Amino acid sequence: MQLYNTLTREKEIFAPMDARNVRMYVCGPTVYDFAHLGNARPVVVFDTLYRLLKLHYPKVTYVRNITDVDDKIMAKAKESGEAIDTITTRTTKAYHDDMASLLALPPDIEPRATAHIPHMLALIAKLIEKGHAYAVDGHVLFNVPSMPNYGELSRRSRDELIAGARVEVAPYKKDAADFVLWKPSTADQVGWDSPYGRGRPGWHIECSAMAKEHLGETFDIHGGGLDLIFPHHENEIAQSRCAHDDAPLAKLWMHNGFLTINNDKMSKSLGNFFTVRDLLAIAPGEALRLALLSAHYRQPLDFSEEALKKAKQTLDGWYGALRNTKDIAFDANVAVPENFMAALDDDLNTPQAFAIIHDLVSQLNKTPDTKTKSALLSAANLIGFLTQDAESWMRGSSSDGLSEEQILALITARKDAKAAKNFAEADRIRKELLDAGIVLEDKANDTLWRRV
RNA sequence: GGCGCGAUGGCAGAAUGGCUAUGUAGGGGACUGCAAAUCCCCGUAUUCCGGUUCGAUUCCGGAUCGUGCCUCCA
């Protein structure tokens, strides 16, 4: 398979370091609030990659961290008066639930930052020992000029960084580009004892420490959002390589594009974000997943509720084909179609993969047979689609609106009216159901219904 | 100011040095008591200006517009 490597800015043939165990690290959430859709995109994208890798290789170790110590969490705790643990535990649970709703498989290992403080301190000590970091006033800073090839991922020189710097340079820094590995905590702030005084980790060190602990010094794939390239991933590389005798951190770096709303970047600071939770209230997770994968992962994706509705309609069509062929058997031995695999193996071309699913759906409608149905299901299931029972998908769920009993009673009443050739009454009932969001499909022997 | 990305039909969105995706919307037809679903048929596209080439939407240069990053961020 081919994957685009941010490091080389080219598609490369993927060759794992150890084909018996492919290792992948993806930057996970800082748990202080509900996940927004921008957080969900990388989860769904790398879940798709994870599923593909699992198909190609006997074992994949997928690590996605939970950042449970951070100034944003501290600020939230101060604001709400809750304990940090309470916030991180609750938010982590919500994150797990939301991502499961998006049909994302859980990672193999989900390390928490607070459980790796000793690993971070060990890494920091090594960096100081090797002359790449220095302690000053309770801070420990990584000295960027100590690494000659700093900036390879983002392709920035140190001079450019300083020239463009928007922030004031802290007086204790030896160099303007130096970044924090460890910072002091006041008595009322969360902190851990260390040789540099009581404090807490900087933003980047946790990923270096946890990746080393769970995947080793060098692993296959490191993923995350585009905005992590600089500074986060650049600094992870600096820390890890300088601590590990210049061993590369990851062979392949993958970054998903942004989610936009009306072509503006969706972000917390702009306030133009949707939480996954809010969207799950108006559409099934599978529809959200489809919407998130409907553009290639490296392209920007402009999200709207309209796009989400379209995704739901598309799935109605796919599930409709399954419901119409419910008597056709599924054969698990039928392979995923080659062109479908080829699309995904070409740097996760999900739009192309969906085009092939559309084609299979259309074939199934025309020639309903086990071979076609099985090809469709094996393809769709591979990347987390069409895993539900078609009938239950069509019936959906609705807390308000008509109950299934009411719907079935109306359908029976309409059937009686039709038998009596009272078409005006039959149409009136159908209109009543339509107004309640129920669409009927008359078949030869019975009437099917679905929620729109 | 520095670094980068993008521009494809009404909309969404792939691909490609010659054949033109897919979906959706729209038009016509089949089926249906009428619908729905499904099937068949049909329009509409590669931002602009140069260059390379037998041939460019694709490669190269420039312009315009949009957008991201430059120590909060997926």
Side-chain angles (χ1 to χ4, degrees), chain A residues 26-27 34 178 228 330 332 341 356 363 368 404:
Chain A
V26 175
C27 290
F34 288 122
D178 291 354
L228 294 182
F330 167 68
M341 285 314 303
I356 292 158
Q363 279 181 47
E404 294 204 9

Side-chain angles (χ1 to χ4, degrees), chain A residues 97-299:
Chain A
D97 291 348
D98 289 349
M99 296 311 122
S101 297
L102 299 178
L103 290 306
L105 303 171
D108 297 289
I109 303 172
E110 191 173 55
R112 287 179 306 115
T114 51
H116 293 77
I117 302 290
H119 306 86
M120 297 185 215
L121 286 170
L123 198 60
I124 290 170
K126 203 179 251 183
L127 287 168
I128 293 177
E129 180 194 315
K130 296 192 178 211
H132 290 292
Y134 55 96
V136 52
D137 297 342
H139 295 77
V140 180
L141 290 131
F142 183 90
N143 187 226
V144 168
S146 76
M147 184 187 191
N149 48 357
Y150 180 85
E152 278 184 343
L153 182 69
S154 59
R155 306 209 170 170
R156 278 168 224 268
S157 73
R158 196 186 65 90
D159 292 344
E160 283 165 10
L161 295 179
I162 293 165
R166 292 185 302 192
V167 294
E168 227 172 291
V169 177
Y172 47 78
K173 287 189 181 180
K174 281 189 188 171
D175 186 275
D178 291 354
F179 58 90
V180 169
L181 301 174
W182 188 260
K183 53 187 169 187
S185 292
T186 57
D188 61 332
Q189 289 176 321
V190 63
W192 290 262
D193 290 328
S194 83
Y196 329 102
R198 187 171 170 283
R200 59 194 193 279
W203 175 29
H204 317 294
I205 194 71
E206 58 176 70
C207 286
S208 286
M210 292 189 283
K212 160 72 166 56
E213 177 64 17
H214 297 286
L215 294 175
E217 292 185 358
T218 304
F219 51 92
D220 295 297
I221 299 171
H222 192 129
L226 204 59
D227 52 350
L228 294 182
I229 293 175
F230 189 88
H232 186 55
H233 288 163
E234 198 68 77
N235 290 348
E236 272 185 54
I237 290 173
Q239 294 159 352
S240 295
R241 294 191 73 154
C242 288
H244 301 145
D245 299 322
D246 211 34
L249 177 54
K251 295 277 194 193
L252 182 74
W253 290 79
M254 292 177 67
H255 295 93
N256 63 274
F258 285 124
L259 203 68
T260 59
I261 302 290
N262 297 323
N263 295 316
D264 276 332
K265 179 184 167 184
M266 176 191 279
S267 77
K268 290 222 161 170
S269 42
L270 290 176
N272 61 340
F273 64 94
F274 292 97
T275 66
V276 172
R277 190 142 292 208
D278 289 344
L279 293 169
L280 287 173
I282 61 173
E286 192 171 343
L288 206 43
R289 181 180 176 94
L290 180 59
L292 287 170
L293 292 174
S294 63
H296 183 84
Y297 77 92
R298 283 191 282 118
Q299 295 302 120

Side-chain angles (χ1 to χ4, degrees), chain A residues 361-377:
Chain A
V361 167
S362 174
Q363 279 181 47
L364 182 62
N365 282 325
K366 277 181 271 189
T367 54
D369 58 31
T370 290
K371 187 166 157 276
T372 309
K373 183 172 186 175
S374 305
L376 168 63
L377 280 173

Side-chain angles (χ1 to χ4, degrees), chain A residues 48 51 289 293 340 344 350 353-354 357 379-385:
Chain A
T48 305
R51 288 165 180 265
R289 181 180 176 94
L293 292 174
F340 186 80
L344 292 172
T350 49
F354 292 139
I357 290 187
N381 290 352
L382 171 63
I383 53 172
F385 291 96

